[in-house]
Amino acid sequence: MKNGFLLFMVLFLSQALTAQNYITRTAHIHIRSDNKVQNIVADNYQVACQLNTQNGEFKIIALIKSFEYQIGAMNRVMNTRDINVTDYPRITYDGKITNLKQINFSKPGTYPFKINGMLFIWDEKRITPAQGTLTVNSDGSIEGNSDFTITIEDKNLNKIDDIMKAKLPG
């Protein structure tokens, strides 16, 4: 059996240095995971993102310790040595928008996008496609929304379940 995390990202990218690069340090990632021990719901509002509108390169960096969990005791679980938060403190995503020519960054509107990239979480890398919408606002800012599922293999899921059983109150 494989389980997954559902990631929902909300980005608000403002223009930086040049017209082709947009960055933010206040993007939002929402995680929801249903599992055997305890459902996990968490938010991170300290996410850095960069979008290059010329070549479609897209990067995300988020600290795992910056996630706020609905159940406060989950912080103890996620900050344990067994999950390697110290060795692997970040979630990163390096991708590229595959339908860049269909997005007009100089015209306000909402555009669907497809992206393909490498997700690095804990000590695993995997190619992860996603899709969503980019909204170009009249002030030149860009908002992006995307949700996608990340599958977690049994060995990692069981490891997290065992740690939650030990750390969370009965």
Side-chain angles (χ1 to χ4, degrees):
M1 179 178 117
K2 294 185 179 185
N3 236 336
F5 280 104
L6 177 65
L7 291 179
F8 177 71
M9 295 184 291
V10 178
L11 315 172
F12 185 75
L13 302 166
S14 7
Q15 229 168 341
L17 303 179
T18 66
Q20 69 184 20
N21 286 311
Y22 289 77
I23 35 178
T24 184
R25 289 182 177 84
T26 57
H28 173 214
I29 295 177
H30 177 76
I31 294 177
R32 176 177 153 75
S33 175
D34 299 326
N35 63 57
K36 298 177 213 172
V37 178
Q38 177 70 50
N39 294 339
I40 299 170
V41 177
D43 292 286
N44 187 338
Y45 294 92
Q46 299 174 15
V47 180
C49 297
Q50 179 178 354
L51 170 63
N52 183 314
T53 59
Q54 296 291 43
N55 61 19
E57 289 180 358
F58 181 72
K59 298 178 186 294
I60 298 173
I61 299 174
L63 292 176
I64 294 173
K65 288 184 178 187
S66 294
F67 280 93
E68 301 167 7
Y69 297 90
Q70 257 187 358
I71 299 172
M74 281 299 301
N75 289 313
R76 289 194 308 266
V77 173
M78 296 310 289
N79 291 324
T80 182
R81 285 186 172 160
D82 298 325
I83 295 188
N84 294 331
V85 173
T86 304
D87 294 337
Y88 305 102
R90 294 182 183 106
I91 296 172
T92 61
Y93 184 82
D94 289 320
K96 194 163 190 173
I97 296 175
T98 59
N99 64 327
L100 187 64
K101 291 181 181 179
Q102 297 171 352
I103 301 169
N104 185 347
F105 290 102
S106 61
K107 181 180 176 189
T110 300
Y111 304 92
F113 74 88
K114 294 180 182 177
I115 192 166
N116 200 21
M118 183 66 69
L119 177 70
F120 181 75
I121 184 169
W122 294 312
D123 57 348
E124 294 184 28
K125 287 183 181 181
R126 61 180 70 173
I127 295 173
T128 306
Q131 53 189 339
T133 58
L134 287 175
T135 301
V136 178
N137 297 311
S138 57
D139 65 358
S141 64
I142 299 172
E143 294 178 48
N145 290 296
S146 177
D147 60 342
F148 55 96
T149 301
I150 301 169
T151 303
I152 300 174
E153 287 73 19
D154 281 339
K155 64 179 178 123
N156 293 326
L157 189 61
N158 291 335
K159 181 178 179 180
I160 293 170
D161 286 348
D162 291 342
I163 293 167
M164 285 195 305
K165 284 178 190 173
K167 301 270 182 186
L168 291 176

